[in-house]
Amino acid sequence: MTKPDDDLEYEKHGGFPVFEPADPGPGFGPFLASMRQLQDLAVSADPDGDTWVEAAARVDELVKLLAPFEAAEGVGPANRVPALPGAGSLLMPPYHVTQFDSDGVTLTVQFSRFHVGGNSAVHGGVLPLMFDSTFGMVIHATGRPISRTGFLHVDYRKVTPIDTPLTVRGWVREAQGRKCFVNAELRDPDGALLAEANGLMIRLLPGQP
């Protein structure tokens, strides 16, 4: 990011900490990929009762393995590895950034069984999450300081499919002092508009969380 010449508060980021990218080592990427597969199976598998008991026991073992290493926000690598899908966060759909500059951001994303709301369509509540994250990236890409979401409005134009490579694009529509109005859209491989969003991002004041 570059500091805007007229923004004397840029470096303060309100009271929000500045998280640096993480380098967790070669095992974290495969771990995330396996966890995404596990999420898909957790909502789609239909084994017998004994298999569920065994699966629960194996998950308990994984919890016991990782529990001693629980860390504070910004210390663990989740959401701090830009090279990994979803920046290394299981909360986010596995997106990849293809454009990140003053004109805005473009992402590719593919939703899976874990994100289904019904009838093989992506749950409507997942799309605001994707758009909100896109808005945050737009703020960074366009050189504005840390901001919080003031509002986010989504219009659903078509059913969003799973297992299909989609494109998300976000850009600044207008900026007024602390306020930044952002737009975003989600399109399928043929360019059809699936959903679009508009929102308000508000720059944090010094000390504001």
Side-chain angles (χ1 to χ4, degrees), residues 21-156:
D23 183 11
F28 187 61
F31 168 77
L32 286 177
S34 295
M35 287 297 296
R36 291 190 189 279
Q37 292 179 353
L38 182 60
Q39 288 180 152
D40 286 336
L41 287 169
V43 300
S44 63
D46 186 26
D48 57 43
D50 289 341
T51 302
W52 281 126
V53 172
E54 181 181 353
R58 294 191 183 190
V59 172
D60 283 344
E61 288 300 313
L62 182 58
V63 170
K64 291 176 183 177
L65 175 66
L66 293 177
F69 303 99
E70 186 174 0
E73 180 185 6
V75 176
N79 205 37
R80 296 199 302 125
V81 190
L84 290 179
S89 171
L90 286 174
L91 174 66
M92 297 304 305
Y95 66 78
H96 295 271
V97 179
T98 59
Q99 176 197 357
F100 190 90
D101 56 37
S102 59
D103 291 329
V105 300
T106 302
L107 322 170
T108 58
V109 63
Q110 184 163 306
F111 299 98
S112 65
R113 182 68 179 272
F114 180 68
H115 304 107
V116 166
N119 203 26
S120 296
V122 174
H123 193 294
V126 173
L127 298 188
L129 172 66
M130 186 71 252
F131 282 133
D132 196 31
S133 186
T134 301
F135 287 177
M137 291 183 229
V138 169
I139 291 298
H140 287 291
T142 56
R144 292 184 64 85
I146 294 290
S147 302
R148 290 285 194 185
T149 308
F151 69 75
L152 188 158
H153 175 86
V154 178
D155 289 307
Y156 300 90

